[in-house]
Amino acid sequence: MTQERLEASVVVALNPHAGDATEVFDAYLEQSMPSGAFEVIVVDGGERAGVAGAFAEHACAHPATPVRLITPGRRGRAALHNAGARAARSDLLVFVA
C-alpha cells in the first residue's frame, strides 16, 4: 500500500496558558488546501487539562481529520517541537504557536 505524499506537516505545540484546545483541532477546517495534502500534529506537553477529551470529541465529529494528537511526556516548547518534527510525515514542517 502506498501513501500519497503530504505537502506539509503543521506542528502545533500547545501553549499551557492558552484557551480552548478545540479551536486548535478545528482550525484546519478553514484551510484552502485539501485536507489530504497536509497533516496537523498537535503536541501536548500535559500541562493543560481536558486536551485528550477535546481531541476525542473532535475525532468523533470529523472522522477524516488530518489532525493527530501526540503526548511525548516532556514539557517545554523545544521538546514539543522536536516531538512533532519526529512524528511528521512531510519534509516541509510548519511550526505555529
Side-chain angles (χ1 to χ4, degrees):
M1 177 170 79
T2 61
Q3 188 174 44
E4 195 170 316
R5 185 131 182 103
L6 296 172
E7 292 184 37
S9 293
V10 179
V11 177
V12 182
L14 286 181
N15 181 334
H17 309 293
D20 187 6
T22 302
E23 293 176 6
V24 175
F25 299 135
D26 291 344
Y28 85 92
L29 295 167
E30 303 297 321
Q31 302 307 309
S32 59
M33 182 182 277
S35 64
F38 67 97
E39 66 179 341
V40 179
I41 304 164
V42 178
V43 190
D44 177 24
E47 295 138 330
R48 295 173 67 175
V51 172
F55 179 72
E57 289 178 17
H58 168 80
C60 284
H62 307 283
T65 183
V67 180
R68 293 189 287 147
L69 175 66
I70 62 172
T71 53
R74 298 195 64 191
R75 294 182 179 187
R77 183 147 320 264
L80 300 181
H81 281 169
N82 288 339
R86 283 190 298 275
R89 296 180 296 169
S90 174
D91 292 335
L92 176 61
L93 302 179
V94 179
F95 294 94
V96 297

